[in-house]
Amino acid sequence: MPTVPSANPADDIAAGVDIAALLERGRAMSTPELRAAVDRLASPMNTVAAYHFGWIDAEGRPADGDGGKAVRPALALLSAEAAGAGPETGVPGAVAVELVHNFSLLHDDLMDGDEQRRHRDTVWKVHGPAQAILVGDALFALANEVLLELGTVEAGRATRRLTAATRKLIDGQAQDISYEYRERVTVEECLEMEGNKTGALLACAVSIGAVLGGADDRTADTLEAYGYHLGLAFQAVDDLLGIWGDPEATGKQTWSDLRQRKKSLPVVAALAAGGPASTRLASLLAADAKSHDLDAFSEEEFAMRAALIEEAGGREWTSQEARRQHAIALDALDGVDMPELVRAQLTALADFVVVRKR
Amino acid sequence: MPTVPSANPADDIAAGVDIAALLERGRAMSTPELRAAVDRLASPMNTVAAYHFGWIDAEGRPADGDGGKAVRPALALLSAEAAGAGPETGVPGAVAVELVHNFSLLHDDLMDGDEQRRHRDTVWKVHGPAQAILVGDALFALANEVLLELGTVEAGRATRRLTAATRKLIDGQAQDISYEYRERVTVEECLEMEGNKTGALLACAVSIGAVLGGADDRTADTLEAYGYHLGLAFQAVDDLLGIWGDPEATGKQTWSDLRQRKKSLPVVAALAAGGPASTRLASLLAADAKSHDLDAFSEEEFAMRAALIEEAGGREWTSQEARRQHAIALDALDGVDMPELVRAQLTALADFVVVRKR
């Protein structure tokens, strides 16, 4: 391991790796290709997509919006390097994964009725439901197009993996929706849903560059195992931030997952724990389920629910689960031969995912 | 040309080809694979999809619904035979094209607010908007999966063509939606929209079997030209049936396209024609555009608009356009070497598309 002092604010990220630079490289190398792909869309879909990606505002003026953390593009480039190819080999994979990710955001925001994303109004809110459906569909098609026009056998294999991941993404959203109507969701069901919704596409991001670089299926599968468990760690942290995150950093409302009655890991784990706090939480949430409007709740009422989740052990369990998934991910990395620098960078990205504040 | 007497009710279909048997073969060979693909979907998406395809009713009981005319599967099998392969080679192509077609129906019905399709309530009406979005997405992903799991170079080429057709399908729907808000649409714009919405996927159906059977790009492109113009002929007839069709046969309301203010070919051609009927129609439709509810209109009011469209020449122009596109399609067929029986069958299908009553 290199021992150069880290430039990162988070001390516990593997020393010597500049995470900000790694994410920036992924963004810088993939964004021009992503914008070129989106520019192929007919009007007004290109404009709606540009708004969604934060490149223009609702009035069509150029904007420098928050495009997200860009973990997936960074992973796709490292994936190519893990297979001994140059990072540029991973770019079409990075673009395709970002297109699928954003297709799912457009449709999920509409299905879930979410009005805000990345500090801005969502597409269905600004441009209407039909555009959210249509542009989502178009981004999904574009993802396949970007890969298949490479015309190689590897591109066919990459598209097949992306398609499998997309199917899991859709399964996960279907589960998420069905859980909203259920009183009780088990921890296992929650983990399966999060594996589908978050793990599958991160797994694909970590394998797609390698596949485009000619890696065999065993290597790709092992990289996917790293990515899948990284995704579960990522989602566990997201679930923590969804309740206890700083709204300034996350861009979401305070207690945002509680407002949305999300059956996220801390909630599900707290309900499964038993004991007085767990029992009291269960009866409160059962009463909440009958209420149409949680928006009328005061900050104190949400704070009380969050405190009960913590008292029942849901917060600590989820933190431990994030660390557990992080460890499984790193174990999987050991199964792939790759340049040591790439291994250090993938390790550092896994660390970052667990310590991030947004 | 064979001179065996035709078993078809429509006398002007190329003699000797049993269209009903040809459509039935496509349905019989592709439906088991289509059902197996849909069965892969997680619950409740498999049920929602089965309802959409007419295999079960809204209560989940087995049904023998109207699955549509099944022109596309028939074309995909003939496409394989045109390239000298067996019809079974075209089956994954038939299934993939049907999946994409039904993905677009699920999303379009929701975007357009259509409550009825094939004599039944649409999916969003029965199972809600979220399921219509989700199951549409899943069918689109499944289409790629069915092709790519063949794992061949040909499957990659077929998926690339299907993706290109799907993008055009989405472009066409975007144009269709934007035209609703415009007072004037030119005949050229209408034809472009219909080429995207209907022509592109029919073109893909006619090339996909050949591509899976190893045909070169030139052959596939020429078959696509036949399919594209066949699609325009198909849509011109659809536009005629949308105004003057028999509701018993079409499964739609009387004057259905007029009720939906569709800027279909007969309307657009009538408005472009000039003369007293055209002028009167234009002022009536301009007034209608300001009215929120055409449902309150009497049958006589719609009948009067239909009569004006006919008087201005929109009906006759559209009939001629169907015949013109039919002729271009048949010309394209001459550019491909294929078994004479297959040529006769593709010719007969083109004839059928123009004379059909539903």
Side-chain angles (χ1 to χ4, degrees), chain A residues 283-333:
Chain A
S283 66
L284 270 175
L285 295 186
D288 294 355
K290 289 176 194 128
S291 162
H292 282 294
D293 191 11
L294 298 191
D295 288 342
F297 275 28
S298 66
E299 290 287 307
E300 286 68 30
E301 283 173 291
F302 288 119
M304 186 184 52
R305 281 155 184 78
L308 283 172
I309 294 168
E310 190 161 356
E311 201 183 322
R315 185 175 191 172
E316 180 52 28
W317 187 90
T318 306
S319 291
Q320 279 183 17
E321 179 65 13
R323 287 192 291 276
R324 196 175 76 87
Q325 296 292 347
H326 171 266
I328 302 175
L330 294 188
D331 275 353
L333 263 197

Side-chain angles (χ1 to χ4, degrees), chain A residues 25-245:
Chain A
R25 180 184 76 155
R27 203 182 276 115
M29 285 184 70
S30 63
T31 303
E33 303 281 327
L34 182 63
R35 293 188 78 140
V38 166
D39 276 347
R40 293 184 202 173
L41 298 178
S43 173
M45 292 187 287
N46 51 358
T47 309
V48 174
Y51 171 78
H52 169 76
F53 282 106
W55 304 330
I56 57 172
D57 67 15
E59 282 74 41
R61 291 172 302 225
D64 190 18
D66 174 5
K69 288 170 287 292
V71 171
R72 290 172 196 80
L75 287 172
L77 305 198
L78 287 172
S79 168
E81 293 179 297
E88 67 285 353
T89 301
V91 168
V95 172
V97 167
E98 278 300 274
L99 288 168
V100 165
H101 175 55
N102 285 282
F103 137 71
S104 79
L105 296 182
L106 280 164
H107 284 189
D108 289 1
D109 284 344
L110 174 59
M111 286 184 252
D112 300 341
D114 288 344
E115 302 188 356
Q116 290 267 314
R117 169 167 303 279
R118 298 169 189 160
H119 305 263
R120 309 160 76 224
D121 284 343
T122 46
V123 162
W124 70 267
K125 189 89 180 140
V126 177
H127 294 282
Q131 288 299 326
I133 296 171
L134 212 46
V135 175
D137 292 345
L139 296 186
F140 183 12
L142 216 43
N144 295 321
E145 191 171 296
V146 162
L147 287 177
L148 290 168
E149 69 193 4
L150 297 173
T152 60
V153 175
E154 288 74 28
R157 289 173 57 217
T159 312
R160 193 173 164 190
R161 281 182 186 266
L162 182 63
T163 298
T166 308
R167 285 251 288 120
K168 286 190 184 157
L169 203 65
I170 296 166
D171 284 352
Q173 172 67 4
Q175 289 165 328
D176 203 6
I177 289 176
S178 76
Y179 292 172
E180 274 173 39
Y181 299 97
R182 280 172 42 183
E183 208 169 298
R184 214 68 187 235
V185 175
T186 67
V187 169
E188 290 69 31
E189 286 172 325
C190 188
L191 286 172
E192 192 195 327
M193 181 267 283
E194 297 194 340
N196 282 332
K197 256 191 110 158
T198 309
L201 196 60
L202 269 177
C204 184
V206 187
S207 71
I208 201 165
V211 170
L212 291 173
D216 59 24
D217 278 339
R218 204 201 66 83
T219 302
D221 288 344
T222 312
L223 287 168
E224 288 207 353
Y226 158 83
Y228 183 81
H229 292 286
L230 181 68
L232 281 171
F234 185 97
Q235 190 57 49
V237 173
D238 236 44
D239 286 355
L240 291 169
L241 294 174
I243 299 178
W244 295 281

Side-chain angles (χ1 to χ4, degrees), chain B residues 85-101:
Chain B
E88 66 285 354
T89 301
V91 168
V95 171
V97 166
E98 278 300 274
L99 288 168
V100 165
H101 175 55

Side-chain angles (χ1 to χ4, degrees), chain B:
Chain B
M1 277 293 168
T3 50
V4 189
S6 165
N8 292 297
D11 295 337
D12 36 1
I13 290 182
V17 177
D18 184 343
I19 292 290
L22 209 52
L23 296 174
E24 183 48 36
R25 180 183 77 154
R27 203 182 278 116
M29 285 184 72
S30 63
T31 302
E33 304 281 327
L34 183 62
R35 293 190 79 141
V38 166
D39 277 346
R40 293 185 202 171
L41 298 178
S43 172
M45 292 186 288
N46 51 358
T47 308
V48 175
Y51 171 77
H52 169 76
F53 282 106
W55 303 330
I56 57 173
D57 66 17
E59 281 74 39
R61 290 173 302 226
D64 190 19
D66 174 6
K69 287 171 286 293
V71 171
R72 291 171 195 80
L75 287 172
L77 304 198
L78 287 172
S79 168
E81 292 180 297
E88 66 285 354
T89 301
V91 168
V95 171
V97 166
E98 278 300 274
L99 288 168
V100 165
H101 175 55
N102 285 283
F103 136 72
S104 79
L105 296 182
L106 280 165
H107 284 190
D108 289 2
D109 284 343
L110 175 59
M111 286 185 252
D112 300 341
D114 288 344
E115 302 187 357
Q116 290 267 316
R117 167 167 306 277
R118 298 171 189 158
H119 305 263
R120 308 160 77 223
D121 284 344
T122 47
V123 162
W124 70 267
K125 189 89 181 140
V126 176
H127 295 282
Q131 289 299 327
I133 296 171
L134 212 47
V135 175
D137 292 346
L139 295 186
F140 183 11
L142 216 43
N144 295 320
E145 193 171 296
V146 163
L147 288 177
L148 290 168
E149 69 192 3
L150 297 173
T152 60
V153 174
E154 287 74 28
R157 290 173 58 218
T159 312
R160 192 171 166 193
R161 282 182 185 265
L162 182 63
T163 298
T166 307
R167 287 251 287 117
K168 286 192 184 156
L169 203 63
I170 296 166
D171 284 352
Q173 172 67 4
Q175 290 165 327
D176 203 6
I177 288 177
S178 76
Y179 293 171
E180 273 173 39
Y181 298 97
R182 282 171 42 183
E183 207 170 298
R184 213 67 187 234
V185 175
T186 67
V187 169
E188 290 70 30
E189 286 173 326
C190 187
L191 286 172
E192 192 195 329
M193 182 268 283
E194 297 194 340
N196 282 332
K197 256 191 109 157
T198 309
L201 195 61
L202 268 176
C204 185
V206 187
S207 71
I208 200 164
V211 171
L212 291 173
D216 60 23
D217 278 340
R218 204 201 66 81
T219 301
D221 289 344
T222 311
L223 286 170
E224 287 207 354
Y226 158 83
Y228 183 82
H229 293 285
L230 181 67
L232 281 171
F234 185 96
Q235 191 57 51
V237 172
D238 236 42
D239 286 355
L240 291 169
L241 294 175
I243 300 178
W244 295 281
D246 173 6
E248 279 291 309
T250 62
K252 296 174 181 170
Q253 282 184 286
T254 52
W255 324 112
S256 98
D257 284 0
L258 297 181
R259 290 178 198 275
Q260 291 184 57
R261 309 165 204 257
K262 266 205 193 160
K263 300 222 170 46
S264 66
L265 273 184
V267 176
V268 168
L271 291 173
S278 177
T279 308
R280 181 132 175 261
L281 179 70
S283 65
L284 270 175
L285 295 185
D288 293 353
K290 289 176 194 127
S291 162
H292 282 294
D293 191 10
L294 299 191
D295 289 341
F297 276 26
S298 66
E299 290 287 306
E300 286 68 30
E301 284 172 290
F302 288 119
M304 185 184 54
R305 282 154 183 78
L308 283 171
I309 294 168
E310 189 161 354
E311 200 183 324
R315 185 176 189 172
E316 179 53 27
W317 187 90
T318 306
S319 291
Q320 279 183 15
E321 179 64 14
R323 286 193 291 274
R324 195 174 76 88
Q325 296 293 348
H326 170 266
I328 301 175
L330 293 188
D331 275 354
L333 262 198
D334 291 341
V336 186
D337 271 335
M338 64 178 80
E340 280 314 304
L341 175 62
V342 179
R343 188 183 306 279
Q345 289 170 324
L346 287 171
T347 305
L349 265 177
D351 295 344
F352 163 73
V353 155
V354 179
V355 301
R356 74 199 162 88
K357 299 289 178 233
R358 55 167 285 226

